[in-house]
């Protein structure tokens, strides 16, 4: 078994930032979160095996990268036991696509070796599951980890891909070439350090969970313009243009421009299934009220038609509480529209 421990001295997120970003997507990472990534000889959890685990965790206010690499398939059980012991003090785990692959794969390998699972009652945050709702906002065609690293402007990787690592590992298992070992572990190290950078992208799903703080609002050329502080800073500026609105954000601030008609602006609602849209009045109405209307006058509301109009007068432009209410209702709906 090859064991490696490396102190991460530069560029890693402060623990307080990890807490804030976790909370921003309604996840309590606890005092000892563990980031991890696994390397396997294939996708099937039944016919392939685990040969490497990388993990990042904090100790004494510093982050450390741990790597354990089995030198043959015969060491898989030992590798699983080592990781179980490592997770005993963990308060949560954080991975990319862990819900679909990493954790189910590990669960099955523990079962095959008649070992208890270390994941029972251990909270887990899958960054992919949180970020996939932001694919349109981020203007990404694919959501693989290298795609997100490119979006963040990270340097090109030096080591091979995960698929190439499988071929190299099979060769290493035969001849124990230290050059191959370093390439394989280097790939996993890049995965782990990239995972930390991708974690900063939790700021994007946080945009859809409210928590905005209005800065100012005004009407200009039949448009409401409202500027606000974001729940958490975004690592890369993003923007979105839709039917009647334009959103942009950079670092700690965002801005929304919304079309106004006769000083009236649409306020959207996320629970559109509870509303009907009334075409003749161009407004949505709660079904508890619209059910008394003739069926020909109403339609089931869709996300893009679930809105009412409000007068954007001085009482709104001078009231930050009203602006916050408007943003909390409307902005998550606009950002979720396709």
């Amino acid at each position: 078994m090859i064991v490696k421990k490396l102190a991460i001295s530069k560029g890693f997120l402060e623990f307080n930032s990890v807490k804030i970003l976790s909370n921003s997507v309604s996840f309590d990472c606890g005092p000892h979160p563990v980031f991890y990534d696994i390397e396997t000889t294939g996708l099937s959890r039944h016919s392939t095996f685990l040969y490497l685990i990388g993990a990042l965790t904090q100790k004494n206010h510093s982050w450390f990268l741990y790597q354990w690499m089995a030198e043959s398939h015969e060491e898989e059980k030992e590798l699983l036991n080592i990781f179980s012991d490592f997770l005993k003090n963990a308060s949560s785990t954080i991975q990319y696509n862990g819900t679909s692959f990493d954790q189910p794969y590990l669960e099955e390998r523990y079962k095959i070796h008649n070992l208890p699972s270390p994941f029972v009652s251990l909270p887990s945050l899958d960054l992919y599951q949180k970020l996939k709702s932001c694919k349109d906002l981020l203007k990404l065609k694919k959501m693989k980890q290298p795609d997100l690293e490119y979006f963040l402007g990270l340097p090109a990787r030096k080591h091979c891909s995960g698929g190439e690592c499988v071929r190299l590992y099979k060769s290493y298992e035969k001849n124990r070439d230290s050059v191959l070992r370093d390439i394989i572990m280097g790939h996993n190290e890049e995965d782990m350090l990239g995972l930390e950078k991708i974690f900063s992208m939790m700021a994007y799903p946080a945009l859809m969970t409210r928590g905005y703080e209005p800065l100012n609002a005004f009407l200009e050329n039949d448009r409401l313009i409202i500027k606000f502080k974001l729940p958490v800073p975004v690592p890369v500026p993003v923007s979105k243009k839709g039917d009647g609105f334009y959103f942009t954000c950079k670092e700690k601030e965002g801005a929304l421009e919304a079309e106004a008609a006769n000083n009236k602006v649409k306020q959207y609602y996320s629970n559109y299934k509870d509303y009907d849209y009334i075409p003749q009045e161009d407004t949505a109405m709660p079904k508890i009220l619209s059910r008394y209307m003739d069926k020909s006058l109403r339609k089931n509301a869709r996300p893009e038609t679930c809105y009412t109009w409000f007068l954007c007068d001085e009482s709104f432009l001078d009231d930050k509480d009203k602006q916050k209410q408007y943003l909390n209702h409307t902005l998550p709906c606009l950002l979720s529209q396709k």
Side-chain angles (χ1 to χ4, degrees), residues 292-311:
Y292 298 108
M293 298 178 65
D294 189 286
K295 289 184 178 181
S296 65
L297 301 176
R298 54 190 168 94
K299 299 179 179 180
N300 288 329
R302 302 189 305 273
E304 62 271 21
T305 60
C306 190
Y307 56 78
T308 57
W309 293 86
F310 73 94
L311 182 62

Side-chain angles (χ1 to χ4, degrees), residues 3-221:
V3 179
K4 183 178 178 180
K5 179 181 178 182
L6 175 68
I8 308 299
S9 57
K10 294 182 180 180
F12 204 87
L13 283 169
E14 294 182 358
F15 181 69
N16 190 50
S17 297
V18 175
K19 291 282 290 182
I20 292 171
L21 283 166
S22 296
N23 291 336
S24 72
V25 291
S26 304
F27 181 77
D28 183 5
C29 69
H32 301 292
V34 171
F35 294 77
Y36 79 86
D37 182 63
I38 65 174
E39 308 295 340
T40 69
T41 57
L43 299 178
S44 171
R45 64 192 79 153
H46 304 284
S47 59
T48 64
F49 68 92
L50 170 78
Y51 66 87
L52 196 157
I53 301 177
L56 278 163
T57 193
Q58 189 192 55
K59 186 176 182 181
N60 298 326
H61 305 290
S62 296
W63 288 92
F64 292 89
L65 169 65
Y66 296 81
Q67 291 178 295
W68 304 276
M69 179 172 154
E71 296 196 85
S72 72
H73 67 278
E74 296 172 347
E75 292 185 343
E76 183 186 42
K77 185 174 183 178
E78 180 185 354
L79 177 56
L80 291 166
N81 276 321
I82 289 173
F83 195 51
S84 285
D85 289 339
F86 185 79
L87 290 179
K88 284 181 179 178
N89 295 321
S91 56
S92 63
T93 63
I94 301 171
Q95 337 82 29
Y96 192 79
N97 202 30
T99 300
S100 298
F101 181 69
D102 296 68
Q103 186 164 324
Y105 189 100
L106 289 171
E107 294 271 15
E108 183 61 28
R109 301 313 293 175
Y110 278 108
K111 182 179 178 181
I112 286 172
H113 287 284
N114 295 314
L115 296 172
S117 167
F119 299 108
V120 177
S121 302
L122 187 60
S124 173
L125 175 62
D126 185 337
L127 303 187
Y128 169 74
Q129 293 298 325
K130 290 292 184 180
L131 285 169
K132 68 179 182 179
S133 63
C134 303
K135 184 177 180 180
D136 181 60
L137 176 63
L138 302 177
K139 300 177 177 64
L140 291 172
K141 294 182 178 180
K142 297 180 180 180
M143 293 288 289
K144 293 184 178 181
Q145 183 167 332
D147 299 309
L148 301 188
E149 292 175 8
Y150 180 80
F151 169 83
L152 291 170
L154 300 184
R157 291 191 172 211
K158 298 179 181 179
H159 297 285
C160 62
S161 67
E164 182 68 9
C165 272
V166 175
R167 185 185 67 80
L168 295 181
Y169 179 77
K170 290 179 178 179
S171 178
Y172 172 81
E173 197 176 9
K174 294 178 181 178
N175 56 39
R176 306 295 170 91
D177 187 333
S178 62
V179 174
L180 297 180
R181 175 202 64 203
D182 292 344
I183 293 173
I184 294 166
M185 298 187 81
H187 162 80
N188 179 257
E189 181 178 331
E190 288 183 322
D191 271 350
M192 293 307 305
L193 298 181
L195 186 63
E196 174 265 330
K197 299 300 182 186
I198 289 171
F199 184 73
S200 69
M201 294 178 69
M202 289 298 97
Y204 298 115
L207 290 173
M208 303 182 188
T209 59
R210 308 180 178 186
Y212 325 104
E213 293 295 334
L215 297 172
N216 58 67
F218 54 93
L219 283 170
E220 183 179 274
N221 299 326

